[in-house]
Amino acid sequence: MRSSHPRSAAVSALVATALATGLLAGTADAAEGAASADPIRIHDIQGTTRISPLNGKQVADVAGIVTGVRTYGSRGFWMQDPDADDNDATSEGVFVFTSSVPTVAVGDAVKVSGLVGEYVPGGASSGNQSVTQITKPVVTVVSSGNALPEATAINEYNVPAEYAPAGDPAAAGSINGLTLEPSRYALDFYESLEGMNVKIGNSRVVGATDPYSELWVTVKGWENTAKRGGTLYGSYESQNTGRLQIQQMAPIAQQPFPVANVGDKLTGTTEGPLDFNQFGGYTLVARTLGTVKAGTLAPEKTKAQAANELAVATYNVENLDPSDPQEKFDNLAKAVVANLASPDILALEEIQDDNGAKNDGTVSAEETIKKFTAAIVAAGGPAYQWRTVNPENNKDGGEPGGNIRQVFLFNPARVSFTDRAAGDAVTATGVTQVAGKAALTHSPGRIDPANPAWADSRKPLAGEFVFKGKTVFVIANHFGSKGGDEGLTSVHQPPVRSSEAKRLLQAQAVNGFVKQLLAADKNASVLAVGDINDFEFSATTQALEDGGALYSAIKSLPKAERYSYVYQGNAQVLDQILTSPAVKNFSYDSVHINAEFAAQNSDHDPQVLRFRP
């Protein structure tokens, strides 16, 4: 008997009862006493690859016990054969898509006739794996109140460390046609349990509860642990195989979905069918949900800069516009003052225009910035001044009508801004020399806005500042998003990361501009800051650093502290501050105030760098 699908004496008794009630009869005699054909079983439908060998075929009287019912979204139910075969690669569970609210209940013994199919959550263009299911079903309830098949445990002992097999080059990198090896690859292990009743025990929360009542745990408590309890995403080659998304079956079971932060513990037993969905891949849909034991995680506070230190920060404030609740402005402002210690220069990303997503041609963000800076003063912070360049309408990506852009805030009591023939949306700033030192032709100004690298994307904003008589150049960036990339559980292995091509071009453009500044003055202090939307080990970051022009300062932190964002249970770097060679002896802080928490003012953590120019 296969070890990954255990069958106890109780399950054996269940099989005997089911046989007695005709559950496993599968087919009727053909005619005039002819011997019946072997019944189609769920493991026959699932097969040993990701695609059912019966895909597109009609099946009749497939038997199982209902283990879960979904009354929302893709409506239907999960059923499982309680009598497992001896093949680890074949799942004993399957989803039955009813389209309308199912009339069965958990514990019903059923026979299902219908069409076997493969459903791709999010559509084929998403790159997601498919879910084997039975559609257009005719369902017969044989009996009710049956015990459920014993749940298969998912834990640190049976989830493989190796993530996925390499995709078949002859099939465009797809793993669909490969025979599952559940003892070798984590994705194969999870796929071999698709649709089955599974359970986890005490697990560490690595992705906070989101607005959709989902959280992420890891069943491997030791795997790439971040300093504050998350799970670090450190390279393309080494995936965190213990991560699993947790949802709760609707209608809500014994309790509302818990609010959990990273580092909390989901204790007790969480049990239910293993699904695959569009937004996260393999998901335990909890019929029985464990209890969250809260940890002690608190938002961080960075130390204040010394009198002779310049503090430069970057913060993605997530589509801020005047229609947002005053509470959001106040909370963001309090974070600037209390958590970021009122940095001297603050580069903001995702400042929207004065009426947000209303698409009426408005591009000014003056009201948004006034409201934010007033909230900072009210929170006890400095009276920041600001500089920005308004974009062309709907030319910089982001939420349609929102016209997001980068904005410089600066504390005039500590630092001054050098205004030089301020540029507009389509005018490129350049590099010149003033008194033998590098200078911008437009300050504030945009870097190479006509470059195709910036099509439908935020153009970098460059500014020239002076701190204690020393010039510092700051480039505020918001590179193209990862939208369109395939997920880590993609049917293609490795996944297709199509968005990287644009960010690579953007990084090359910024790197080229920094090299111009350094050619004019090799000792120029330059900081490229912002939401780079890519990892510190990525080709994007390597292109920014090319030739030693810049260095990603987050790499100066211990590995366990390198993250600014949490996505699908992976703590990762998206926000960065990069320094030119003249910026030495700096201190760096990724200030964790949002990404690890269910209550967020933004989905990004701000970054702060302090140095003496």
Side-chain angles (χ1 to χ4, degrees), residues 186-313:
L187 286 192
D188 287 6
F189 171 77
Y190 291 125
E191 178 64 19
S192 76
L193 301 176
E194 179 192 83
M196 287 184 60
N197 191 36
V198 300
K199 65 181 179 181
I200 61 171
N202 295 346
S203 302
R204 176 165 48 93
V205 176
V206 293
T209 303
D210 66 21
Y212 306 100
S213 295
E214 300 164 336
L215 59 82
W216 286 78
V217 300
T218 180
V219 299
K220 294 185 173 181
W222 44 266
E223 188 174 52
N224 293 324
T225 305
K227 182 178 180 181
R228 288 164 54 87
T231 297
L232 291 168
Y233 183 61
S235 74
Y236 295 127
E237 291 74 30
S238 178
Q239 301 297 336
N240 294 308
T241 63
R243 293 173 306 111
L244 196 61
Q245 186 173 227
I246 307 296
Q247 296 177 338
Q248 190 170 32
M249 201 169 289
I252 295 298
Q254 74 273 31
Q255 66 216 30
F257 197 80
V259 176
N261 298 323
V262 168
D264 292 351
K265 295 293 191 334
L266 184 62
T267 63
T269 299
T270 297
E271 181 177 326
L274 186 65
D275 192 25
F276 186 99
N277 69 35
Q278 178 180 356
F279 305 106
Y282 293 105
T283 301
L284 196 166
V285 183
R287 185 182 58 253
T288 301
L289 189 63
T291 301
V292 169
K293 181 180 180 181
T296 58
L297 201 67
E300 288 186 326
K301 294 183 178 181
T302 197
K303 69 176 185 179
Q305 63 272 30
N308 59 353
E309 282 184 317
L310 178 68
V312 181

Side-chain angles (χ1 to χ4, degrees), residues 67-79:
T67 60
V69 177
R70 185 159 60 202
T71 59
Y72 63 98
S74 180
R75 297 181 178 91
F77 63 91
W78 291 270
M79 68 175 187

Side-chain angles (χ1 to χ4, degrees), residues 2 36 103 120 162-164 204 207 238 284 309 313 317 324 335 349 355 390 424 448 474-475 486 587 611:
R2 53 194 294 197
S36 62
T103 57
V120 179
E162 199 168 353
Y163 188 67
R204 176 165 48 93
S238 178
L284 196 166
E309 282 184 317
V317 292
D324 285 326
E349 299 87 52
N355 58 20
N390 290 330
D424 56 25
D448 200 10
V474 183
I475 303 168
E486 295 180 352
S587 63
F611 76 109

Side-chain angles (χ1 to χ4, degrees), residues 316 318-320 349-353 356-359 362-363 390-406 425 446 449 451-460 478-483 502 506 531 533:
N316 182 322
E318 196 174 8
N319 289 326
L320 188 66
E349 299 87 52
E350 294 199 15
I351 290 288
Q352 290 198 341
D353 65 33
K358 185 177 180 180
N359 194 5
T362 299
V363 294
N390 290 330
E392 292 183 280
N393 189 46
N394 288 333
K395 291 292 183 69
D396 280 20
E399 188 176 23
N403 291 311
I404 55 176
R405 85 290 310 278
Q406 297 87 270
R446 298 180 121 192
N451 188 326
W454 309 113
D456 296 317
S457 189
R458 285 72 57 178
K459 286 71 174 170
H478 188 182
F479 283 9
S481 78
K482 291 183 176 292
K502 171 170 275 193
Q506 293 175 343
D531 180 359
N533 262 320

Side-chain angles (χ1 to χ4, degrees), residues 356-380:
K358 185 177 180 180
N359 194 5
D360 64 354
T362 299
V363 294
S364 170
E366 185 172 356
E367 295 305 314
T368 309
I369 303 169
K370 281 183 177 179
K371 191 172 181 178
F372 188 34
T373 53
I376 293 173
V377 171

Side-chain angles (χ1 to χ4, degrees), residues 536-549:
E536 77 279 18
F537 54 80
S538 66
T540 300
T541 300
Q542 292 172 17
L544 280 166
E545 295 179 320
D546 181 70

